[in-house]
Amino acid sequence: MENLKELFKKALVGQIRALDQFGSWDMKSDDELFTMKYIKTKEDLKSIPIIADIDDVQTKDIRLIFQALALAFETATGVMCNVVMEMSHEGFGRVVVIADKIVVVDKFFKDAHRFGYRTIEDLEIAGEKFLENGIKIYNSFKEVNNA
């Protein structure tokens, strides 16, 4: 099986590129797409107000991460997943990835309009951790229920 970080990265870039109906991102590298959507430097964060509403694009970009996690989980385990996301206009919410009868990923948000990672490596590591933990949770569930 390919490493989980690469599996997540491949799934996320696939989700992002699937939204590019007109090919305007064809010339952008995967890292450029990740930077455009998910990387926020200290300077970027200084320009974003502490209290603000989240827009639909930001909500969809956050959802893409968890859709990619669900796809990567399915690839790694063969178990289909659903992503459930609830986000208020103020940026408070929760996203869960459900596999079989259990939640394999659960993330709460506050100030989601400021959501992002400092580096691409931070994004990849977060995806890998979510995926690794989700697989552990699922395997533990299987062991308990098959015993």
Side-chain angles (χ1 to χ4, degrees):
M1 182 190 343
E2 69 187 303
N3 106 25
L4 296 180
K5 189 186 295 185
E6 288 302 313
L7 186 61
F8 168 72
K9 191 174 169 181
K10 181 178 170 184
L12 182 55
V13 81
Q15 293 290 307
I16 294 169
R17 290 196 184 278
L19 295 178
D20 184 20
Q21 298 174 353
F22 304 107
S24 55
W25 297 336
D26 285 351
M27 301 309 281
K28 291 188 182 289
S29 70
D30 295 349
D31 285 351
E32 286 175 311
L33 290 176
F34 292 151
T35 300
M36 177 178 79
K37 293 202 165 284
Y38 300 113
I39 306 307
K40 289 192 172 107
T41 64
K42 283 183 180 182
E43 292 75 32
D44 294 335
L45 289 173
K46 285 179 186 175
S47 69
I48 301 171
I50 301 281
I51 299 171
D53 287 349
I54 186 169
D55 66 26
D56 287 343
V57 173
Q58 288 172 308
T59 302
K60 288 175 185 171
D61 287 345
I62 292 170
R63 185 180 180 84
L64 281 179
I65 289 176
F66 294 91
Q67 286 176 191
L69 285 167
L71 181 60
F73 183 92
E74 289 177 21
T75 301
T77 64
V79 177
M80 288 188 61
C81 296
N82 288 341
V83 176
V84 179
M85 183 171 171
E86 182 74 29
M87 186 72 65
S88 76
H89 67 91
E90 297 162 324
F92 292 92
R94 170 174 264 161
V95 62
V96 294
V97 178
I98 302 168
D100 200 3
K101 298 175 185 172
I102 61 168
V103 173
V104 294
V105 175
D106 181 7
K107 172 79 171 142
F108 177 78
F109 290 92
K110 64 178 193 166
D111 301 333
H113 65 286
R114 296 173 59 87
F115 176 78
Y117 298 92
R118 292 284 172 88
T119 66
I120 293 171
E121 182 68 18
D122 290 345
L123 169 64
E124 293 169 354
I125 289 169
E128 179 183 39
K129 273 186 185 176
F130 275 128
L131 194 51
E132 189 175 290
N133 289 337
I135 291 170
K136 282 181 189 173
I137 290 167
Y138 182 75
N139 287 337
S140 295
F141 172 78
K142 269 189 358 186
E143 284 176 20
V144 168
N145 286 311
N146 285 338

